[in-house]
Amino acid sequence: MTTDSPVAGPHPPRAHTRRLVGPVVVLLGGVMSLVTVLVLTLLDRVRITRPEELASEVGFGLPFDWVAQQQYSLDPPLPYSASLRSPWEHVTSAQLVPFVVDVVLVWLALVVAWVLLRGLLSRRGAAVS
C-alpha cells in the first residue's frame, strides 16, 4: 500500500522542520554569542600607560566593558598590557546591563552574518541550477 501523502513515512513533513529551524537558529545564536562575549572578555587587553590607571578599576569586555577589576597591587613596568586576572587575588565586579548589551550586539552580528550567508548560498544554488 503506497500513499502520496506528504506526512507518510518516517520523516516529518518539511513545514514542521522549517518551523523548528527558526527557534534552533535563535538558540544556537544566543549560545554562540554568550560564549563569544565571555571568550572576548578573557582575551581583552587594556593598555596602561600611567600608574593612576592601575589605581582605579581596569575595565574588560568587548565591545563594552562589563567586568571591572582592581589591579592596584601590581607594579609592572609601564606601558603595561593588563588582562583579566584571578578574581581570588583581585577584587572583581561585573555589570549586567553592559554584558547583556554585548551579548545582544554579538547575537545581532551573527544573525546578519547568517542571513547574508543564506542569501549568498541560495543565489549560488540558483545560479548553478
Side-chain angles (χ1 to χ4, degrees):
M1 180 171 155
T2 61
T3 179
D4 293 329
S5 173
V7 290
H11 301 290
R14 292 197 95 159
H16 178 70
T17 305
R18 285 185 184 156
R19 276 186 266 145
L20 288 177
V21 170
V24 169
V25 168
V26 169
L27 182 63
L28 284 176
V31 170
M32 287 175 54
S33 63
L34 179 68
V35 169
T36 301
V37 167
L38 293 174
V39 168
L40 286 175
T41 302
L42 292 174
L43 297 176
D44 192 13
R45 302 274 185 239
V46 177
R47 185 171 171 83
I48 305 294
T49 57
R50 299 175 306 160
E52 297 83 29
E53 293 175 14
L54 274 178
S56 63
E57 289 186 333
V58 181
F60 300 98
L62 292 172
F64 299 108
D65 294 344
W66 62 275
V67 175
Q69 197 169 59
Q70 296 176 0
Q71 296 188 358
Y72 57 82
S73 61
L74 301 176
D75 190 21
L78 298 176
Y80 171 66
S81 180
S83 61
L84 200 58
R85 302 284 182 167
S86 168
W88 296 104
E89 298 173 10
H90 303 280
V91 177
T92 305
S93 61
Q95 296 177 357
L96 183 63
V97 172
F99 172 71
V100 170
V101 170
D102 283 357
V103 171
V104 168
L105 288 175
V106 172
W107 180 81
L108 286 173
L110 289 172
V111 167
V112 167
W114 169 258
V115 169
L116 291 176
L117 184 63
R118 279 187 66 195
L120 288 175
L121 291 177
S122 67
R123 284 186 196 160
R124 189 174 193 188
V128 171
S129 298

